[in-house]
C-alpha cells in the first residue's frame, strides 16, 4: 500500500526522470565495469610479458657470464625494476616480496579492482643452492592505467550528469502541454466550460487540444440549454403556484366565506330552529374556519404575500414571523436588509424559496432550538446565511435530496454559490453568495 500511494503521488515528469536516471546509471555502471575490466586485462598481459621478457634477459646474461652466481648477485642487487622485482633466494626457500609502493596516485578501490588475482613469477636456477626469483609488480602499471582511465571515467560522469540535466529540461518543456491539459480538465471538473486549450506544436497534443475544445463547447452548450430549461421549468412552476394561489383565494376562499356567512345566518335564528340544527351550524362554521386557515397557509406557501408589492425583505420577515407563530418552542431570528425591496422578482422568488426550503429542512430534520436567518449585501453581492443549532448531518455520507438539489439549481440560475456546512451534533449552516449585477 505504501508503494502504491507513493506511485500515485509521483508526477509524470518525476516518473520519467527516475526511469531515465536508473537507465543512465545502469549504462554508466556497465561502461565503468568495461573500462576497469579492460584495464585489468591490460595490466595482466603487461605483467605476463614483462616477466617473460625479464626471464629471457636474465638467462641470457647469466649464461654469457662465466661466474653465474656472481652475475646473479649483481642482478639481484638491482632489486626493483619497472613492473618487476629481482631477488636471489635459496633454491628451497620462498620467493621474495616486492617492497611496498611509495604512494601510487591510483585510489585504493581502483587498485583493488584492477590488480591481477595472481602475479606471474619465474625462478631461474643459477647455482645448486640459489635461484633468481623474478616477480611481477603491477603498481606502476596500475598507476599508468589510472592516469589513462580517470579521464574516461570523469567523462562518463560528466556525460551522466549532463544527460540528466538535459533530459530534465527537455521533459519540462515537453510536459508543459500535459500540465496545461491537466489544469484545463480540473477547471472543467469545477464547471468552467469557457476554458480552451491553445494549439500545440506536437500533433498528438494538438489533436487532444482540438478534442478537448470541442468537448468544452459541447458541455457549455448543454449547460446553457439545461439552465434555460431549468429556468423555464421554475418559471412555469411559479406561475402555476401563483395561479393556484389565486384560484384558492378567489374560488375556495369565497366559497368558505359564504359557508361561514350561511352558518352565521342560521345561528342568528337559533330560537326558531329545531333541536340539533344550531349545533350543526356551529360545527359547519368551525370546520369552514379551519379550512379557511389551512387555505390561507397553503396560499402563503404557494405565493408569498407581499413579495411583489413590498419586496423580498418584508416578505421574508412576514414568512419567518409565520413560522415563529406555528413553532413557538423554537426561536427564529431574522436580520434583513430593506435595500433589497427593489430586487427583481425572479431573483427575489429564488432567494425566498431558498429560505423557505432551508427552514423546512431545519424544522423537519434538525430539531433545533434556535434558527438565525441573515440577509444582506456586501461588495455588490447578496449574502444569505441560515444557521441552526440542530442535530446536523455528515454532507459527505448523505446524498442530497430534492430540497437541497432544488436549492442548488436556484443558486446556479442566479450565477451564485451555495455552501452547506454541517456535522453530526454541530448544527447546519447554509450560505448563499449571489451577484447583484
Amino acid at each position: 500500500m505504501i508503494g502504491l500511494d507513493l506511485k500515485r503521488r509521483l508526477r509524470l515528469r518525476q516518473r520519467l526522470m527516475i526511469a531515465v536516471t536508473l537507465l543512465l546509471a545502469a549504462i554508466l555502471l556497465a561502461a565503468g565495469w568495461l573500462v576497469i575490466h579492460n584495464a585489468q586485462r591490460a595490466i595482466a598481459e603487461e605483467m605476463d610479458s614483462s616477466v617473460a621478457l625479464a626471464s629471457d634477459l636474465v638467462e641470457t646474461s647469466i649464461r654469457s657470464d662465466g661466474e653465474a652466481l656472481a652475475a646473479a648477485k649483481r642482478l639481484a642487487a638491482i632489486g626493483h625494476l619497472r613492473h618487476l622485482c629481482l631477488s636471489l633466494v635459496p633454491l628451497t626457500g620462498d620467493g621474495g616480496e616486492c617492497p611496498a609502493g611509495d604512494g601510487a596516485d591510483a585510489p585504493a578501490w581502483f587498485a583493488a579492482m584492477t590488480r591481477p588475482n595472481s602475479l606471474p613469477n619465474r625462478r631461474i636456477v643459477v647455482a645448486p643452492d640459489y635461484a633468481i626469483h623474478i616477480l611481477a609488480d603491477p603498481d606502476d602499471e596500475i598507476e599508468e592505467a589510472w592516469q589513462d582511465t580517470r579521464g574516461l571515467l570523469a567523462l562518463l560522469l560528466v556525460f551522466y550528469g549532463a544527460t540528466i540535466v538535459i533530459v530534465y529540461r527537455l521533459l519540462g518543456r515537453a510536459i508543459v502541454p500535459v500540465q496545461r491539459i491537466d489544469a484545463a480538465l480540473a477547471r472543467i471538473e469545477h464547471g468552467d466550460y469557457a476554458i480552451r486549450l491553445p494549439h500545440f506544436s506536437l500533433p498528438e497534443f494538438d489533436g487532444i487540444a482540438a478534442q478537448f475544445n470541442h468537448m468544452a463547447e459541447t458541455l457549455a452548450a448543454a449547460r446553457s440549454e439545461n439552465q434555460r430549461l431549468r429556468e423555464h421549468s421554475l418559471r412555469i412552476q411559479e406561475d402555476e403556484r401563483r395561479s393556484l394561489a389565486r384560484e384558492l383565494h378567489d374560488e375556495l376562499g369565497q366559497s368558505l366565506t359564504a359557508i361561514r356567512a350561511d352558518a352565521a345566518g342560521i345561528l342568528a335564528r337559533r330560537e326558531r330552529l329545531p333541536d340539533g340544527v344550531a349545533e350543526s351550524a356551529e360545527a359547519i362554521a368551525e370546520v369552514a374556519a379551519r379550512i379557511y386557515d389551512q387555505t390561507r397557509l397553503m396560499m402563503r406557501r404557494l405565493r408569498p404575500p407581499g413579495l411583489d408589492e413590498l419586496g423580498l425583505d418584508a416578505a421574508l420577515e412576514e414568512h419567518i414571523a409565520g413560522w415563529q407563530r406555528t413553532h413557538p418552542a423554537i426561536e427564529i431570528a431574522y436580520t434583513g436588509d430593506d435595500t433589497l425591496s427593489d430586487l427583481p422578482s425572479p431573483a427575489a422568488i429564488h432567494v425566498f424559496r431558498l429560505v423557505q426550503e432551508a427552514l423546512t429542512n431545519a424544522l423537519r430534520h434538525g430539531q433545533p432550538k434556535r434558527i438565525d436567518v441573515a440577509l444582506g449585501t456586501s461588495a455588490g453581492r447578496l449574502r444569505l446565511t441560515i444557521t441552526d443549532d440542530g442535530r446536523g448531518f455528515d454532507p459527505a455520507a448523505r446524498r442530497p435530496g430534492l430540497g437541497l438539489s432544488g436549492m442548488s439549481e436556484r443558486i446556479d440560475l442566479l450565477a451564485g454559490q451555495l455552501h452547506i456546512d454541517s456535522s453530526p451534533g454541530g448544527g447546519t449552516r447554509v450560505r448563499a453568495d449571489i451577484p447583484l449585477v
Side-chain angles (χ1 to χ4, degrees):
M1 291 298 294
I2 296 177
L4 182 59
D5 293 339
L6 178 61
K7 185 176 180 181
R8 288 175 177 172
R9 288 195 295 268
L10 289 177
R11 295 186 177 273
L12 176 60
R13 189 180 188 183
Q14 294 172 326
R15 294 183 186 180
L16 291 175
M17 282 306 304
I18 290 175
V20 171
T21 302
L22 293 177
L23 177 61
L24 289 176
I27 295 174
L28 179 65
L29 290 175
W33 176 86
L34 183 61
V35 169
I36 294 174
H37 177 72
N38 289 337
Q40 183 187 39
R41 185 177 60 182
I43 291 172
E45 291 176 353
E46 183 68 20
M47 293 300 98
D48 290 336
S49 62
S50 297
V51 170
L53 179 60
S55 299
D56 293 340
L57 292 176
V58 169
E59 288 182 357
T60 303
S61 177
I62 292 176
R63 290 174 183 173
S64 62
D65 196 325
E67 293 290 335
L69 184 58
K73 289 181 178 180
R74 288 194 301 271
L75 291 173
I78 297 175
H80 185 269
L81 294 173
R82 179 177 174 80
H83 303 338
L84 298 171
C85 289
L86 301 178
S87 59
L88 185 62
V89 297
L91 190 60
T92 58
D94 295 332
E97 296 291 337
C98 287
D102 55 356
D105 292 338
W109 64 267
F110 183 81
M113 295 181 70
T114 55
R115 183 180 293 275
N117 296 327
S118 61
L119 296 177
N121 63 88
R122 186 76 59 84
R123 283 194 177 193
I124 301 174
V125 178
V126 296
D129 297 327
Y130 291 96
I132 288 288
H133 184 252
I134 304 172
L135 178 65
D137 182 7
D139 288 342
D140 292 333
E141 190 64 24
I142 291 174
E143 184 175 347
E144 288 184 5
W146 170 248
Q147 297 296 331
D148 296 336
T149 303
R150 65 180 179 180
L152 182 57
L153 293 177
L155 181 62
L156 288 174
L157 289 174
V158 171
F159 172 78
Y160 177 76
T163 303
I164 290 178
V165 172
I166 292 173
V167 170
Y168 184 81
R169 295 287 183 88
L170 292 177
L171 284 177
R173 292 184 180 181
I175 213 168
V176 167
V178 178
Q179 294 173 339
R180 298 192 67 172
I181 292 172
D182 182 66
L185 287 173
R187 292 180 62 177
I188 285 285
E189 181 183 4
H190 290 85
D192 183 8
Y193 299 147
I195 183 66
R196 295 293 184 272
L197 288 173
H199 290 288
F200 297 116
S201 58
L202 292 176
E204 292 82 3
F205 287 128
D206 194 55
I208 293 175
Q211 294 295 326
F212 175 89
N213 292 337
H214 177 70
M215 177 194 69
E217 292 174 0
T218 303
L219 289 175
R223 183 175 67 174
S224 178
E225 180 65 16
N226 289 338
Q227 185 172 356
R228 187 186 68 81
L229 292 175
R230 287 201 306 268
E231 187 174 359
H232 181 67
S233 174
L234 289 174
R235 184 169 60 251
I236 292 176
Q237 187 181 80
E238 292 298 333
D239 291 342
E240 289 293 332
R241 287 178 173 179
R242 185 187 295 109
S243 177
L244 183 58
R246 187 181 300 111
E247 292 293 331
L248 287 174
H249 178 270
D250 295 342
E251 299 296 333
L252 186 59
Q254 292 180 8
S255 299
L256 290 172
T257 301
I259 291 173
R260 294 174 66 185
D262 291 341
I266 294 173
L267 291 174
R269 299 188 296 273
R270 182 187 296 269
E271 296 79 6
R272 299 192 299 270
L273 296 177
D275 294 340
V277 174
E279 288 76 6
S280 297
E282 289 178 352
I284 291 172
E286 183 179 351
V287 171
R290 286 202 303 270
I291 294 176
Y292 184 78
D293 291 340
Q294 290 296 323
T295 302
R296 290 188 61 189
L297 181 60
M298 291 172 61
M299 288 188 296
R300 288 177 178 274
R301 292 182 178 178
L302 288 171
R303 186 67 182 179
L307 182 61
D308 297 326
E309 296 80 8
L310 302 178
L312 176 63
D313 183 61
L316 282 177
E317 187 173 2
E318 173 62 23
H319 181 71
I320 291 173
W323 277 107
Q324 184 67 79
R325 287 192 296 271
T326 56
H327 299 80
I330 302 173
E331 184 179 359
I332 306 177
Y334 173 67
T335 304
D337 188 344
D338 55 7
T339 62
L340 294 172
S341 58
D342 57 350
L343 190 68
S345 179
I349 191 62
H350 288 321
V351 175
F352 184 89
R353 295 300 183 197
L354 178 64
V355 175
Q356 188 180 45
E357 185 63 35
L359 288 175
T360 301
N361 289 338
L363 294 171
R364 182 179 299 170
H365 306 293
Q367 298 180 353
K369 296 180 180 179
R370 178 182 174 88
I371 302 176
D372 291 284
V373 180
L375 179 69
T377 59
S378 175
R381 302 184 73 87
L382 184 149
R383 304 186 189 279
L384 172 67
T385 304
I386 303 102
T387 306
D388 68 73
D389 59 357
R391 296 184 302 177
F393 62 95
D394 184 3
R398 180 177 177 180
R399 295 182 58 185
L402 294 177
L404 295 180
S405 298
M407 293 164 61
S408 180
E409 286 184 0
R410 292 181 182 274
I411 293 300
D412 287 342
L413 290 176
L414 298 176
Q417 297 177 348
L418 180 67
H419 303 279
I420 301 177
D421 303 319
S422 184
S423 60
T428 302
R429 181 172 64 172
V430 178
R431 294 180 294 120
D433 189 355
I434 304 168
L436 292 175
V437 180

